[in-house]
Amino acid sequence: QTNIRWTLSECVGSFSQPEKSDVMVVGHDMRLYCWGNNSYGQTSRPSTSQPVPVTSECVKVNFNPQTVVCGWEHTVVLDVDGAVHSWGSNEFGQLGDGSEESRRDPQKVHSLEGEKVTQVACGAHSTAAVTSSGDVMVWGRHTLSNLPHRVHLPLKALAVACGFSHAVAVTVEGRLFSWGYNEHGELGHGDTFAGLRKPRQIVHFRSCQ
């Protein structure tokens, strides 16, 4: 029996459609296990309309995975050396390789070479990463590029989280910034509007700092 060390995707491939769910876990043996929806090869197996069942067969990779996160139909892994690897759907450039070609084989996001990444997150069709220098890098749908590029934050970031089409970053000082779609007020600025391309501080929490 494999002891699960991390389970970083609480059916995160689903968002609003449970039938699209997939699950990725890193075992205590530092191997990657995937199952569920595989329409774009996001479990790193040949694409199929049939779900991949739970299996003891691990995904064969040439790196040691540390963290795994999932978007709607793509998968991103941060390895122990701070490099980022991606596979699955790439319709909106969410794999970060500069193309829009989907693939089932994990590949390193080469444009991040030279950056040590400390955390990764996935939106539905986008990806975000935090570097050791405190930069937030984003790519994919609604980010204006299918290659990683910096989000302009006034302070160094500690972590980033993504919703379907919005993102929130927390800085090392504990301040929250949000950007992206805001149809339901998810950016936390007290109203609903089309959205923000640039991060804005959520001022409601200033008194909590």
Side-chain angles (χ1 to χ4, degrees), residues 8-9 11-17 20-24 37 42 68-77 87-89 94-95 121-127 162-164:
L8 270 289
S9 64
C11 298
V12 293
S14 64
F15 284 96
S16 62
Q17 291 189 354
K20 288 185 175 290
S21 299
D22 50 75
V23 177
M24 317 286 170
N37 180 47
Q42 58 265 48
V68 56
V69 292
C70 305
W72 187 291
E73 292 164 329
H74 74 291
T75 304
V76 176
V77 170
W87 66 96
S89 174
Q94 58 264 51
L95 299 188
C122 286
H125 309 291
S126 61
T127 309
C162 299
F164 191 95

Side-chain angles (χ1 to χ4, degrees), residues 44-111:
S44 195
R45 295 174 176 84
S47 299
T48 174
S49 59
Q50 298 299 315
V52 173
V54 176
T55 174
S56 59
E57 179 184 355
C58 65
V59 176
K60 294 178 174 60
V61 294
N62 59 358
F63 54 86
N64 291 320
Q66 175 175 298
T67 302
V68 56
V69 292
C70 305
W72 187 291
E73 292 164 329
H74 74 291
T75 304
V76 176
V77 170
L78 174 66
D79 70 25
V80 295
D81 297 316
V84 178
H85 309 259
S86 62
W87 66 96
S89 174
N90 198 30
E91 182 180 1
F92 301 98
Q94 58 264 51
L95 299 188
D97 61 2
S99 78
E100 294 181 356
E101 297 181 6
S102 302
R103 62 170 184 267
R104 68 180 179 89
D105 297 317
Q107 292 186 20
K108 183 184 290 187
V109 181
H110 291 290
S111 55

Side-chain angles (χ1 to χ4, degrees), residues 27 32 44-45 66 102 111-112 132 155 167 172 175:
L32 185 64
S44 195
R45 295 174 176 84
Q66 175 175 298
S102 302
S111 55
L112 285 173
S132 59
L155 302 165
V172 292
R175 300 182 186 181

Side-chain angles (χ1 to χ4, degrees), residues 22-209:
D22 50 75
V23 177
M24 317 286 170
V25 296
V26 178
H28 184 69
D29 54 4
M30 295 298 290
R31 293 181 178 180
L32 185 64
Y33 299 87
C34 308
W35 62 89
N37 180 47
N38 191 45
S39 54
Y40 285 88
Q42 58 265 48
T43 69
S44 195
R45 295 174 176 84
S47 299
T48 174
S49 59
Q50 298 299 315
V52 173
V54 176
T55 174
S56 59
E57 179 184 355
C58 65
V59 176
K60 294 178 174 60
V61 294
N62 59 358
F63 54 86
N64 291 320
Q66 175 175 298
T67 302
V68 56
V69 292
C70 305
W72 187 291
E73 292 164 329
H74 74 291
T75 304
V76 176
V77 170
L78 174 66
D79 70 25
V80 295
D81 297 316
V84 178
H85 309 259
S86 62
W87 66 96
S89 174
N90 198 30
E91 182 180 1
F92 301 98
Q94 58 264 51
L95 299 188
D97 61 2
S99 78
E100 294 181 356
E101 297 181 6
S102 302
R103 62 170 184 267
R104 68 180 179 89
D105 297 317
Q107 292 186 20
K108 183 184 290 187
V109 181
H110 291 290
S111 55
L112 285 173
E113 289 184 352
E115 302 277 3
K116 182 177 176 61
V117 174
T118 57
Q119 189 234 334
V120 288
C122 286
H125 309 291
S126 61
T127 309
V130 178
T131 70
S132 59
S133 58
D135 290 323
V136 174
M137 312 289 286
V138 297
W139 60 96
R141 192 176 190 183
H142 304 310
T143 70
L144 304 180
S145 179
N146 55 11
L147 286 171
H149 59 284
R150 287 176 177 80
V151 173
H152 296 291
L153 287 168
L155 302 165
K156 291 184 177 181
L158 180 65
V160 64
C162 299
F164 191 95
S165 295
H166 75 289
V168 177
V170 59
T171 69
V172 292
E173 292 84 0
R175 300 182 186 181
L176 286 175
F177 289 81
S178 62
W179 65 97
Y181 272 47
N182 192 49
E183 182 181 0
H184 305 288
E186 54 264 57
L187 297 188
H189 300 299
D191 53 9
T192 58
F193 49 87
L196 294 172
R197 291 197 180 278
K198 296 181 179 180
R200 179 188 296 175
Q201 185 175 355
I202 302 176
V203 297
H204 175 80
F205 294 104
R206 281 179 177 173
S207 61
C208 302
Q209 297 171 9

